[in-house]
Amino acid sequence: MKYLHEAIIIAGITFAAEIIKYFVPLPVPASIYGLILLFSLLKAGLLRLEQIENVGGLLLELMPLLLVPASVSFLTVLDTIQGMLLPVLVMGFAGTTAVMIITGRVSQWMIRRKEKGHE
């Protein structure tokens, strides 16, 4: 019963994110709104990690399996994008590298800021 309750909470947040996407005229995926909403609820204390921890962990374990359809659909259009495959790969590599660097820098900044607050 606990798993059902956790799944309902996550599904509710996902549904709320879809509604937000419908009303906010920005080109942002509903999943991003969902992450922001979930983070806000956790940070505000309206939702505790223990309330979604088990199903969230299960979804993280299943994530590679959930990405298989996207990979297969990419392979089906490989002939179409073959002419621009090199620029797509370069942009993907550059984008991933930029995200990793920015994420690392922000994480380091936040850790240092937190350590200074405890001193």
Side-chain angles (χ1 to χ4, degrees), residues 48-73:
R48 293 186 324 273
L49 181 60
E50 297 82 32
Q51 292 177 288
I52 56 167
E53 191 170 22
N54 294 322
V55 172
L58 177 66
L59 290 173
L60 282 175
E61 289 175 14
L62 292 174
M63 190 181 296
L65 181 64
L66 297 173
L67 293 175
V68 168
S71 302
V72 170
S73 66

Side-chain angles (χ1 to χ4, degrees), residues 1-58:
M1 197 63 152
K2 180 177 181 170
Y3 284 99
L4 179 62
H5 186 259
E6 291 182 15
I8 289 172
I9 292 172
I10 292 175
I13 291 170
T14 304
F15 181 70
E18 290 290 340
I19 292 173
I20 292 170
K21 183 188 181 326
Y22 181 75
F23 287 110
V24 177
L26 295 174
V28 178
S31 58
I32 302 301
Y33 289 125
L35 287 172
I36 293 169
L37 182 60
L38 179 62
F39 178 75
S40 300
L41 289 171
L42 287 168
K43 202 65 176 156
L46 299 172
L47 183 66
R48 293 186 324 273
L49 181 60
E50 297 82 32
Q51 292 177 288
I52 56 167
E53 191 170 22
N54 294 322
V55 172
L58 177 66

Side-chain angles (χ1 to χ4, degrees), residues 32 35 90-108:
I32 302 301
L35 287 172
V90 169
M91 287 187 300
F93 180 74
T96 301
T97 304
V99 167
M100 289 171 58
I101 290 170
I102 291 169
T103 302
R105 296 289 184 186
V106 169
S107 298
Q108 289 175 347

